[in-house]
Amino acid sequence: MAPTIDRQGYWGRPTSTLEWCEENYVVSFYIAEFWNTVSNLIMILPPLYGAVHTYRNGLEFRYICSFLGLSAVGVGSWCFHMTLLYEMQLLDELPMIYSTCVFVYCLYECFKQENSISLFPIVLLLIFSVSVTLVYLQWKEPVFHQVMYGVLVACLVMRSIFIVTWVYPWLRALCYTSLGVFLLGFLLWNIDNIFCDSLRASRQMMPPGVGVVTQFHAWWHIFTGLGSYLHILLSLQIRSTYLKYRPKVKFLCGVWPTLHIEPQRMS
C-alpha cells in the first residue's frame, strides 16, 4: 500500500486500515485522495439513472435494488477516499458485499415466475452478509473482506458464463464485455498495489496532467463501475428475455448503454 509520507488535510490523520497509492491532499485540502474520490461518479450517477429507468419500466424491485446498491458503493467509496477514515472505509467495503449479494440473487433467480420471491436464497445471502459483517468488524483484516467479495464475484461469473453458454448464447458479447472490463479494473488495482513506489516516483517526473493517468486505483473504480453496471444490464436482459419481453440495449446520447424493454409479450 501507499507510503506514509503524505500531507495532512481537513480530515486529519487517516484511521483506515488501508491507504492507496494516490498521494494524500495534493489536489485539495478537503479531499484526501482526489482522483480516487471523483472517479466514483461513474458508480453513482449512471446507476441512479438505471434505477429510475427500471422503475418507470415497471420491472421487478430487485433490479432497482441492484442499481441503488451500486450507487451506494460509489457513495461509500467517495466518502472513504475523501476522508481515509475507518468508519468511511466500512461505508465503502460492506456495501460491496451487500450489493453483490443482490446481484447474486437476481442472477440465480432469473428463471422463476414473475414477481416471485424465493426465501431460501434470501436467508442464505442474509446469513452470509451478517456473518461477513460481524467477522470483519472484529477482525479488521482487509484481505478477509477481499476474499469474501471475490467469492461472490466468482458466483456471478460462473452463473453468467453458464447462462450465455447453454441458455442464451446471443448474450455472450454483453457478458464477456462486462467480465473483461471488470477484470481490466482488477488488473490495474493490483498494479497500483504492487508497483506503488515506482508509480509515485514516476509521477514526480511527469506533468500533473500526465501523472493523473497513472492513478490506477481511480481506473479500478471506473472499469469495475462500468463492468458492474453492464452486469446489471446483462441480468436484466436475461430476466426480461425469460419473461418474454423484448429487451434491447440502446445508448444514451450515443455513449452510455441502457436497457429498453417493450412491455408487449411476444406471441
Side-chain angles (χ1 to χ4, degrees), residues 32-258:
E33 297 175 345
F34 182 83
W35 300 110
N36 288 351
T37 298
V38 299
S39 57
N40 285 291
L41 285 172
I42 197 170
M43 279 192 284
I44 299 173
L45 300 180
L48 287 177
Y49 174 84
V52 172
H53 190 68
T54 302
Y55 174 77
R56 288 177 175 173
N57 280 334
L59 301 175
E60 291 165 306
F61 182 65
R62 68 187 75 168
Y63 295 101
I64 299 174
C65 290
S66 293
F67 282 118
L68 293 180
L70 183 55
S71 269
V73 172
V75 170
S77 184
W78 178 291
C79 294
F80 171 36
H81 290 285
M82 181 175 69
T83 66
L84 292 180
L85 299 178
Y86 174 68
E87 294 80 6
M88 299 300 106
Q89 178 182 346
L90 294 178
L91 193 63
D92 173 15
E93 292 175 329
L94 292 178
M96 290 173 64
I97 299 294
Y98 307 150
S99 62
T100 309
C101 282
V102 177
F103 298 170
V104 169
Y105 178 81
C106 289
L107 200 59
Y108 279 79
E109 294 295 306
C110 61
F111 299 127
K112 298 291 181 67
Q113 184 178 355
E114 189 169 8
N115 293 316
S116 63
I117 298 176
S118 300
L119 290 180
F120 178 73
I122 291 176
V123 171
L124 195 64
L125 290 167
L126 277 175
I127 292 173
F128 179 85
S129 298
V130 171
S131 300
V132 169
T133 300
L134 293 177
V135 171
Y136 193 46
L137 289 176
Q138 296 298 317
W139 185 36
K140 301 175 183 179
E141 174 52 64
V143 174
F144 169 75
H145 169 268
Q146 292 161 10
V147 170
M148 293 300 99
Y149 178 67
V151 168
L152 292 172
V153 171
C155 291
L156 291 175
V157 171
M158 290 186 295
R159 178 67 167 171
S160 298
I161 291 176
F162 172 82
I163 291 174
V164 302
T165 300
W166 301 105
V167 186
Y168 298 140
W170 58 89
L171 293 179
R172 285 179 185 172
L174 180 56
C175 174
Y176 291 129
T177 299
S178 168
L179 179 58
V181 169
F182 192 96
L183 288 177
L184 176 58
F186 181 61
L187 172 64
L188 295 177
W189 181 85
N190 280 283
I191 292 174
D192 190 73
N193 289 336
I194 297 169
F195 299 105
C196 179
D197 290 341
S198 299
L199 289 170
R200 281 194 162 195
S202 67
R203 282 198 285 266
Q204 297 298 320
M205 299 180 289
M206 295 179 181
V210 178
V212 170
V213 179
T214 67
Q215 299 289 357
F216 290 147
H217 193 86
W219 286 108
W220 148 262
H221 290 158
I222 292 170
F223 286 120
T224 55
L226 175 57
S228 298
Y229 179 90
L230 291 175
H231 169 79
I232 300 174
L233 290 191
L234 172 67
S235 185
L236 258 174
Q237 192 156 19
I238 291 169
R239 180 63 171 159
S240 55
T241 299
Y242 174 76
L243 295 175
K244 301 188 185 303
Y245 289 101
R246 288 180 287 183
K248 185 177 182 181
V249 175
K250 296 184 179 181
F251 290 87
L252 184 66
C253 300
V255 176
W256 192 260
T258 60

Side-chain angles (χ1 to χ4, degrees), residues 3-25:
T4 56
I5 51 171
D6 285 307
R7 303 177 186 180
Q8 293 298 308
Y10 179 80
W11 301 99
R13 188 175 182 84
T15 59
S16 60
T17 62
L18 287 171
E19 281 194 67
W20 306 102
C21 197
E22 182 178 353
E23 298 82 353
N24 295 350
Y25 296 106

